[in-house]
Amino acid sequence: MFRIKVPRYWRHKDFRYRLNAWKCNHCGEVHFFKPLVCRRCRLREFNKVMLPETGKLIAYTIVRSPPCGFEEQTPYIIGFIELEDGTRILSQITDCYPEELKLGMKVEVTFRRVREDDPDKIIAYGYKFRPAI
Ligand SMILES: [Zn+2]
């Protein structure tokens, strides 16, 4: 049975709630969760940065066979987004139908319910993207 691991989800709340990430002071690589060492240059100094809240849609797919915990949302759209600073991120796309999507269209971040753990009724929130208004 699917269970949300609350401590881990909570530790990542800065990224999931506010798109705060960690940028390597040496090479500029962006990490979504604070790493011990940079995956590119192996150094250990990072600055917390806020990623841009807008970007463009560069690819998407419609999920009809979801992973555990996402069955109630099926079908849903997963987009590959390039943020204004060039960082690329995967995200669920919300507030639109698939036929409204166009590659290259501008999208913006929004804060939504991501999933719910049934036995404990724990609701996980986080970022999703939607067509820019
Ligand atoms: Zn680095």
Side-chain angles (χ1 to χ4, degrees), residues 24-29 31 38-43 46:
C24 176
N25 288 347
H26 180 70
C27 73
E29 180 80 356
H31 304 261
C38 175
R39 68 177 156 250
R40 185 192 286 171
C41 72
R42 313 306 290 171
L43 294 182
F46 305 93

Side-chain angles (χ1 to χ4, degrees), residues 60-79:
Y60 66 92
T61 189
I62 300 165
V63 177
R64 292 188 166 84
S65 299
C68 252
F70 292 87
E71 296 88 345
E72 70 182 48
Q73 300 177 44
T74 306
Y76 60 89
I77 307 163
I78 293 289

Side-chain angles (χ1 to χ4, degrees), residues 31-106:
H31 304 261
F32 298 142
F33 309 112
K34 190 173 186 182
L36 290 174
V37 296
C38 175
R39 68 177 156 250
R40 185 192 286 171
C41 72
R42 313 306 290 171
L43 294 182
R44 296 170 179 257
E45 292 181 14
F46 305 93
N47 268 335
K48 197 176 203 176
V49 295
M50 188 169 178
L51 296 176
E53 295 184 344
T54 57
K56 65 182 178 186
L57 183 66
I58 55 177
Y60 66 92
T61 189
I62 300 165
V63 177
R64 292 188 166 84
S65 299
C68 252
F70 292 87
E71 296 88 345
E72 70 182 48
Q73 300 177 44
T74 306
Y76 60 89
I77 307 163
I78 293 289
F80 192 45
I81 294 154
E82 185 173 281
L83 300 176
E84 300 292 338
D85 69 349
T87 303
R88 292 182 168 189
I89 186 171
L90 278 174
S91 172
Q92 192 170 337
I93 306 292
T94 189
D95 296 355
C96 67
Y97 295 105
E99 53 271 20
E100 297 175 87
L101 295 174
K102 291 181 175 52
L103 297 183
M105 74 187 296
K106 191 167 182 178

